[in-house]
């Protein structure tokens, strides 16, 4: 069936990016259809209705919070299955891989994104439609900064390079980002001087952007393991940078 804009993501990266399994008709994915089928069944509706008529426990006021029960809605409204959030800009945390943009020119900066489908090639996703806008801004700023200060990106084929992953977490009340730089190192001192160059450039770019500050904190996480784990389990590998 033809999809409307209200149930479509319309992301330019869909198809090569593995982040989303559907781009249109999101309200018709299997789990939504299964939920609609379940809650439309006569046995479920009879059970809920009879429970309410028997005087089931009131949920209207509990711990000073408001709850809703069957009698607050018409049957059609009560059993309606809806997607609980906007289809766009809802993702407030992202863990993204880093790879060399060029194998011979560090001034080309880093590719930052997800692995392209069925590959280990990092795909830049600057126009991701489900990322919070602050995430896309922060990723572009990190990418530009790595090019400016020539940060060595991690190469999984050789095990060389420094910046492996980044994690971005958005503080919803302010839209500011907690950035974690995952470095291919065992100890913090092994990240220098590149870590200082990169964080200094990020702070400068953030200050000179002409907008509200984007980063509320920057962390470094040291992970020199050879596996695919983004973070090491050792809590001593976490270091506040800014």
């Amino acid at each position: 069936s033809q999809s409307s804009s209200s149930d479509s993501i319309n992301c330019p990266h869909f198809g090569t990016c593995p982040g989303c399994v559907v781009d249109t008709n999101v309200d018709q994915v299997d789990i939504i259809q299964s939920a609609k089928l379940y809650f439309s069944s006569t046995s479920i509706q009879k059970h809920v209705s009879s429970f309410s008529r028997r005087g089931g426990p009131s949920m209207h006021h509990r711990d000073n919070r408001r709850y809703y029960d069957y009698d607050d809605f018409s049957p059609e409204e009560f059993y309606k299955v809806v997607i609980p959030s906007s289809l766009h800009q809802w993702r407030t945390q992202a863990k993204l891989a880093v790879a060399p943009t060029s194998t011979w020119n560090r001034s080309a900066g880093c590719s930052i994104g997800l692995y392209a489908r069925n590959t280990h090639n990092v795909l830049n996703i600057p126009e991701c439609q489900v990322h919070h806008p602050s995430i896309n801004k922060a990723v572009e700023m990190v990418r530009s900064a790595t090019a400016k200060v020539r940060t060595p990106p991690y190469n999984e084929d050789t095990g060389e390079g420094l910046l492996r992953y980044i994690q971005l977490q958005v503080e919803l009340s302010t839209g500011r980002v907690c950035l974690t730089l995952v470095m291919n190192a065992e100890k913090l001192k092994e990240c220098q001087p590149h870590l200082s160059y990169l964080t200094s450039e990020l702070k400068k770019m953030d200050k000179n952007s002409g907008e509200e500050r984007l980063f509320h904190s920057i962390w470094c996480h040291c992970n020199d393991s050879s596996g695919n784990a983004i973070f090491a389990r050792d809590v001593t590998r976490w270091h506040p940078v800014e």
Side-chain angles (χ1 to χ4, degrees):
S1 62
Q2 191 170 21
S3 176
S4 68
S5 59
S6 62
D7 58 24
S8 300
I9 300 174
N10 294 323
C11 183
H13 306 299
F14 183 76
T16 53
C17 173
C20 296
V21 296
V22 295
D23 189 52
T24 59
N25 298 317
V26 177
D27 62 340
Q28 296 180 29
V29 297
D30 289 346
I31 192 169
I32 298 293
Q33 294 303 310
S34 296
K36 288 179 179 179
L37 184 63
Y38 177 81
F39 286 108
S40 66
S41 69
T42 303
S43 59
I44 290 297
Q45 295 189 11
K46 282 183 177 179
H47 175 75
V48 174
S49 178
S50 66
F51 180 77
S52 178
R53 287 197 300 270
R54 292 198 306 268
S58 173
M59 299 289 284
H60 283 275
H61 298 284
R62 190 176 70 189
D63 299 333
N64 296 318
R65 291 176 288 178
R66 171 140 177 98
Y67 289 78
Y68 298 96
D69 64 19
Y70 180 83
D71 295 328
D72 288 319
F73 302 94
S74 67
E76 292 77 15
E77 292 175 314
F78 186 81
Y79 294 109
K80 184 178 181 181
V81 176
V82 297
I83 298 173
S85 64
S86 169
L87 298 182
H88 302 92
Q89 303 181 352
W90 56 267
R91 187 182 293 280
T92 57
Q93 175 172 296
K95 298 173 183 176
L96 303 176
V98 176
T101 297
S102 169
T103 57
W104 58 273
N105 182 11
R106 278 215 317 248
S107 64
C110 301
S111 293
I112 302 174
L114 297 177
Y115 292 123
R117 198 176 299 278
N118 300 320
T119 77
H120 257 224
N121 301 321
V122 173
L123 174 72
N124 290 308
I125 49 174
E127 298 177 72
C128 176
Q129 297 298 296
V130 299
H131 278 169
H132 190 284
S134 294
I135 289 180
N136 286 343
K137 287 180 183 178
V139 171
E140 177 56 26
M141 192 175 290
V142 173
R143 192 200 63 77
S144 298
T146 62
K148 180 73 177 294
V149 302
R150 301 170 64 90
T151 302
Y154 180 70
N155 186 320
E156 67 175 7
D157 292 329
T158 65
E160 299 176 346
L162 191 61
L163 185 59
R164 297 185 67 167
Y165 300 97
I166 65 172
Q167 176 180 257
L168 309 105
Q169 299 166 292
V170 180
E171 183 181 55
L172 286 177
S173 60
T174 63
R176 298 177 73 187
V177 173
C178 171
L179 170 67
T180 301
L181 304 167
V182 181
M183 296 295 196
N184 179 35
E186 181 182 3
K187 299 183 182 300
L188 183 63
K189 64 181 181 180
E190 298 170 9
C191 304
Q192 302 298 359
H194 294 289
L195 176 61
S196 292
Y197 295 159
L198 180 55
T199 54
S200 294
E201 183 62 25
L202 286 170
K203 287 186 285 185
K204 185 186 349 180
M205 294 174 70
D206 196 11
K207 182 179 179 180
N208 297 335
S209 67
E211 301 178 2
E212 291 289 329
R213 293 290 181 91
L214 182 59
F215 298 111
H216 74 64
S217 58
I218 300 177
W219 290 72
C220 174
H221 180 85
C222 297
N223 181 9
D224 60 340
S225 68
S226 58
N228 292 325
I230 295 177
F231 298 123
R233 293 187 177 184
D234 187 350
V235 296
T236 64
R237 298 293 188 99
W238 290 89
H239 307 279
V241 178
E242 178 62 25

